Amino acid sequence: MIESIILWLLAVLVAPFFSGVILKVKAFFGGKKGPPLLINYYTLIKLFKKGSVYSTSTTVMFKLGPIISLGTALVVLMFLPIAGQDPIFSFKGDILFILYLMGLGRFFVIAAAMDTASPFEGMGAAREAYFPIICEATTFMILIFFYRLTGELQLSAYFTEGNTIELWNLTGAPLLFVVIAFFIILLTENSRVPVDDPATHLELTMIHEVMVLDHSGPDFGLIELGSFCKLFFYSTIVSRLIFPFDFGSSAIGFFVFIAGLIIVYVAVGVTESVIARYRMDKVPQFVLTSFALAFFATIITLEFIK
C-alpha cells in the first residue's frame, strides 16, 4: 500500500513534466528551442500566486468546476496500476466507476463554462459534451474486449504485472487495434490535435480552451493540473499496452514504464506536429475510426475464443 501511495504522489508530481515533453517535441519539429521541460511547473506556480477574478453573472457552480475537475482526476489516478503495480484502490467493476467519475469531472467543467453565460464558452461546452460521447462507445467496446478475455471489469486485472502480457498472449495482433483505438481516445479526451489545438487562440476552433477562458489564477491552475493528470492516466494505459513486459524487478519495471510514457508523449507531440487540425465536421469521423478498430478487434478475438 505504501508503494502504491508513493507511486500515486509521483504520478501527480510528474504529470506536468511529461506534458512539457510534448511542447519540446513540437518545438523541435518547428525548428525552435522551445520552452524548458519544467515550463508547466513555472506556469502552475505563477497561477497559484495570483488571485481569481469572478464575473457577477457566475454562481458557485463556476467555482466548483475547477475543484471537482481536479478532484476526480486525482481519485481516478488512485485506481490506476502505475508501472504495473497494484493501485491504491481496486474493486470488482471499478472500471465503470472510473469512467463515470471522469464523466462527473467533465460535467462540472461544462457546467462551469455554461454558468458564465458566454456564447463562446457555451459553444466549447457543446463540443466537449459531444465528442466524448463518441469516445464512450469505443471505450465500452474496449471493455467488452477485455472482459471477454479476462472475465473482469477491474482495471488492475488488465494492467498489473503479468496480466498485460497475458492479454498479448491471448490475442496477439488484434490488441494492436485496441492500442491505436485507445491512442485516438487519448487525443480526443484530452483535446489534442487533430481534434483540438490547445495552443490556438481562435475561439471558433477551440474546445477545451474556450471553456476555461473566464477562469483565472488558482482556478485555472486547478484545471491545468487536472488536465495534466488526465493525460497521464490515458498515457499510462497506452504505455502499459505497448510495454507489457515484466522483469521481476520493481526498479527495472519502473524505468521501463517511464521510457514507455516518454514514447507515448513524444508520439502525441509528433502527431500534433505532422497532422493538421481537422475541421469540426471531420472530427466525428476520426473518433469513429477508433470504434471501428475496437469493434474489429473484439469480433476477431471472439473468433479466437471459439
Side-chain angles (χ1 to χ4, degrees):
M1 175 62 73
I2 298 300
E3 186 181 56
S4 300
I5 295 175
I6 293 174
L7 287 174
W8 174 76
L9 290 173
L10 283 175
V12 177
L13 291 175
V14 302
F17 169 81
F18 284 109
S19 293
V21 172
I22 299 177
L23 299 177
K24 274 292 187 182
V25 173
K26 293 174 67 176
F28 171 79
F29 276 87
K32 304 176 182 177
K33 181 180 178 180
L37 287 172
L38 302 179
I39 182 63
N40 289 325
Y41 295 102
Y42 302 149
T43 302
L44 289 175
I45 292 173
K46 180 175 66 175
L47 289 172
F48 287 130
K49 284 183 177 180
K50 293 184 176 182
S52 296
V53 179
Y54 300 107
S55 169
T56 55
S57 65
T58 59
T59 65
V60 67
M61 184 63 69
F62 184 76
K63 299 179 181 180
L64 284 177
I67 297 173
I68 296 180
S69 174
L70 175 60
T72 53
L74 295 178
V75 174
V76 163
L77 288 182
M78 293 181 180
F79 289 86
L80 181 65
I82 302 172
Q85 302 301 311
D86 292 330
I88 298 176
F89 299 119
S90 182
F91 56 85
K92 290 185 177 181
D94 63 8
I95 186 64
L96 298 177
F97 174 76
I98 292 170
L99 292 177
Y100 281 102
L101 191 63
M102 296 177 73
L104 178 68
R106 182 185 302 113
F107 168 80
F108 273 90
V109 173
I110 292 174
M114 298 291 290
D115 193 50
T116 63
S118 167
F120 277 133
E121 296 200 28
M123 178 177 59
R127 294 168 179 169
E128 179 74 6
Y130 173 53
F131 296 138
I133 289 177
I134 309 176
C135 287
E136 286 181 4
T138 304
T139 302
F140 279 100
M141 183 57 65
I142 293 175
L143 284 184
I144 294 173
F145 175 85
F146 285 142
Y147 179 77
R148 293 293 299 175
L149 293 175
T150 65
E152 298 284 350
L153 285 174
Q154 193 171 351
L155 201 60
S156 59
Y158 311 145
F159 303 113
T160 49
E161 288 186 359
N163 292 332
T164 313
I165 192 67
E166 185 63 24
L167 291 176
W168 281 100
N169 292 334
L170 290 172
T171 61
L175 194 54
L176 287 174
F177 290 169
V178 173
V179 174
I180 298 172
F182 212 93
F183 186 73
I184 294 175
I185 292 177
L186 180 153
L187 297 175
T188 306
E189 289 281 4
N190 292 278
S191 299
R192 314 298 306 193
V193 176
V195 176
D196 189 19
D197 187 356
T200 186
H201 298 287
L202 299 174
E203 292 88 346
L204 292 174
T205 63
M206 295 160 65
I207 300 177
H208 176 76
E209 295 300 322
V210 74
M211 290 196 304
V212 297
L213 283 176
D214 281 2
H215 289 288
S216 59
D219 288 342
F220 188 59
L222 294 178
I223 289 179
E224 287 288 274
L225 183 56
S227 298
F228 297 147
C229 292
K230 183 179 178 181
L231 180 57
F232 184 90
F233 173 83
Y234 284 98
S235 300
T236 297
I237 293 178
V238 176
S239 171
R240 186 62 184 168
L241 286 173
I242 61 178
F243 286 100
F245 313 107
D246 298 316
F247 298 92
S249 170
S250 298
I252 297 177
F254 179 76
F255 284 112
V256 171
F257 166 72
I258 294 298
L261 269 183
I262 293 175
I263 290 175
V264 173
Y265 278 89
V266 168
V268 174
V270 171
T271 301
E272 296 196 354
S273 301
V274 301
I275 298 180
R277 187 189 180 284
Y278 290 153
R279 284 168 34 192
M280 283 295 172
D281 59 340
K282 299 296 182 182
V283 172
Q285 300 175 23
F286 171 73
V287 181
L288 283 173
T289 303
S290 65
F291 176 80
L293 291 170
F295 178 79
F296 286 133
T298 304
I299 296 300
I300 295 172
T301 303
L302 290 178
E303 291 297 324
F304 284 168
I305 294 176
K306 291 179 180 179

